[in-house]
């Protein structure tokens, strides 16, 4: 029985989020420049996106460029932005063929104009696709998202649209850039690092975390299925006890 066949379709995570880490180390290990690692990382993006669609995952969020990544050497930032634009352009037919909708979370205004245009046109072109949502986190950080949400709530309290007593979990959630999607049940990080790096802090409150030593360019379809199977073994208690869950209390 293949790993894919072992997956229980009824217990599939609806949303998987991935911190794609290790491109630089992968390239260095081969005596190549970091950007070589990012290029190979794109091949893994394609493999994993198609595998998620195949297995029936509805949302896949990829941490492609963080707010903090702007502090990398200028040539690496430029190369990454060009890679993103080229990939979106080149992969549009595959997104259409696979009925995948592209969307975005992050600070759109901070992206270079070329990237903004390509992102906007790819999102528009795929907006009617229904099989899976591929969400790119670009110029994104969870703290950035929380700060913009807090500012907008403050504005709406001031202009009378929101009353202070109406501020609760649901309202805060509705101001985040992730408000249209379910929270990820499973968060994967590659490359052996065990941290969250300012990714989806609010949304992963109850996510299952899966860390693998594999560097992102080496992460395969089988590795994804292994992560899903690991997730399916876990007991998600959401603060309750095991006994409560088994008695459905
Ligand atoms: C982390 O590895 C990876 C990134 C910061 C960039 C990831 C981007 C891609 C794979 C391209 C994505 C393209 C699309 C279309 C989604 P790192 O550079 O931090 O590696 P290191 O930790 O080994 O230095």
């Amino acid at each position: 029985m293949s790993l894919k066949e072992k997956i229980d379709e009824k217990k599939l995570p609806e949303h998987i989020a991935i911190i794609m880490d290790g491109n630089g180390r992968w390239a260095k290990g081969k005596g190549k420049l970091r950007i070589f690692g990012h290029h190979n990382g794109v091949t893994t993006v394609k493999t994993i996106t198609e595998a998620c669609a195949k297995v029936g995952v509805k949302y896949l969020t990829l941490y492609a460029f963080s707010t903090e990544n702007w502090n990398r050497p200028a040539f690496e930032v430029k190369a990454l932005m060009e890679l993103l634009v080229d990939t979106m352009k080149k992969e549009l037919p595959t997104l259409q063929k696979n009925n995948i909708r592209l969307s975005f979370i992050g600070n759109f205004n901070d992206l270079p104009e070329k990237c903004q245009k390509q992102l906007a046109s790819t999102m528009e072109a795929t907006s009617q696709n229904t099989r899976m949502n591929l969400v790119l986190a670009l110029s994104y950080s969870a703290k950035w998202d929380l700060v913009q949400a807090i500012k907008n709530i403050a504005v709406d309290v001031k202009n009378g649209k929101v009353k202070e007593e109406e501020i609760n979990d649901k309202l805060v959630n509705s101001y985040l850039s992730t408000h249209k999607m379910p929270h990820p049940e499973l968060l994967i990080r590659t490359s052996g690092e065990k941290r969250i790096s300012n990714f989806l802090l609010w949304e992963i409150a109850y996510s299952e975390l899966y860390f693998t030593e594999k560097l992102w360019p080496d992460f395969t379809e089988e590795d994804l299925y292994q992560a899903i199977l690991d997730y399916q073994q876990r007991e998600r208690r959401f603060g309750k006890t095991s006994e409560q869950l088994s008695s459905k209390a």
Side-chain angles (χ1 to χ4, degrees):
M1 204 186 205
S2 72
L3 284 180
K4 184 168 175 282
E5 285 164 349
K6 285 187 190 162
I7 292 174
D8 179 351
E9 281 174 21
K10 290 191 269 337
K11 281 170 74 182
L12 204 60
E14 192 182 6
H15 184 175
I16 298 181
I18 306 185
I19 302 176
M20 311 179 287
D21 196 14
N23 293 347
R25 274 165 285 166
W26 185 88
K28 201 172 165 199
K30 296 190 157 24
K32 305 268 190 186
L33 295 175
R34 297 174 57 79
I35 192 65
F36 181 70
H38 297 316
H39 275 270
N40 281 274
V42 170
T43 307
T44 306
V45 167
K46 283 159 56 180
T47 307
I48 298 307
T49 303
E50 285 176 28
C52 281
K54 223 161 43 181
V55 93
V57 169
K58 284 291 169 199
Y59 294 82
L60 171 64
T61 300
L62 300 177
Y63 204 9
F65 195 88
S66 73
T67 310
E68 290 78 17
N69 285 152
W70 291 115
N71 299 322
R72 290 195 172 195
F75 66 88
E76 185 175 342
V77 170
K78 189 168 176 280
L80 264 171
M81 288 298 143
E82 280 167 8
L83 182 61
L84 281 161
V85 172
D86 289 350
T87 306
M88 282 189 273
K89 207 182 282 176
K90 215 168 109 206
E91 296 305 323
L92 179 60
T94 317
L95 290 174
Q96 302 293 44
K97 191 183 88 196
N98 287 301
N99 194 13
I100 295 171
R101 177 181 185 168
L102 185 83
S103 50
F104 157 84
I105 52 171
N107 189 346
F108 190 80
N109 294 332
D110 269 2
L111 296 171
E113 203 187 327
K114 258 191 177 172
C115 192
Q116 290 186 1
K117 282 193 173 151
Q118 188 59 52
L119 191 54
S121 80
T122 312
M123 286 195 296
E124 169 59 27
T126 60
S127 62
Q128 300 307 313
N129 293 348
T130 53
R131 187 172 172 210
M132 188 181 84
N133 287 277
L134 172 62
V135 185
L136 292 188
L138 284 178
S139 192
Y140 171 88
S141 74
K143 286 187 180 178
W144 164 82
D145 205 11
L146 284 163
V147 169
Q148 68 78 27
I150 291 163
K151 279 188 186 162
N152 287 324
I153 293 170
V155 169
D156 285 348
V157 168
K158 205 168 154 192
N159 65 25
K161 260 205 217 160
V162 170
K163 294 193 194 75
E164 189 195 327
E165 54 275 22
E166 288 170 347
I167 301 176
N168 57 20
D169 182 326
K170 200 168 158 219
L171 182 119
V172 173
N173 200 65
S174 73
Y175 279 76
L176 293 172
S177 62
T178 51
H179 68 277
K180 284 191 187 145
M181 41 179 130
H183 290 174
E185 295 94 331
L186 173 61
L187 171 75
I188 299 172
R189 181 173 190 146
T190 59
S191 94
E193 308 290 358
K194 292 181 183 67
R195 34 172 195 271
I196 303 302
S197 300
N198 214 348
F199 190 42
L200 302 175
L201 296 179
W202 172 276
E203 297 83 352
I204 61 163
Y206 273 101
S207 301
E208 296 299 326
L209 310 181
Y210 182 87
F211 299 102
T212 165
E213 294 294 321
K214 284 268 183 104
L215 303 175
W216 178 248
D218 288 332
F219 191 73
T220 63
E221 190 173 339
E222 295 294 295
D223 292 326
L224 173 81
Y225 299 148
Q226 191 60 63
I228 295 175
L229 285 168
D230 189 282
Y231 160 83
Q232 292 190 332
Q233 302 301 315
R234 305 204 191 168
E235 181 182 61
R236 306 193 73 210
R237 292 196 293 275
F238 301 98
K240 291 188 176 181
T241 65
S242 248
E243 291 71 26
Q244 280 178 304
L245 290 181
S246 48
S247 68
K248 302 253 180 294

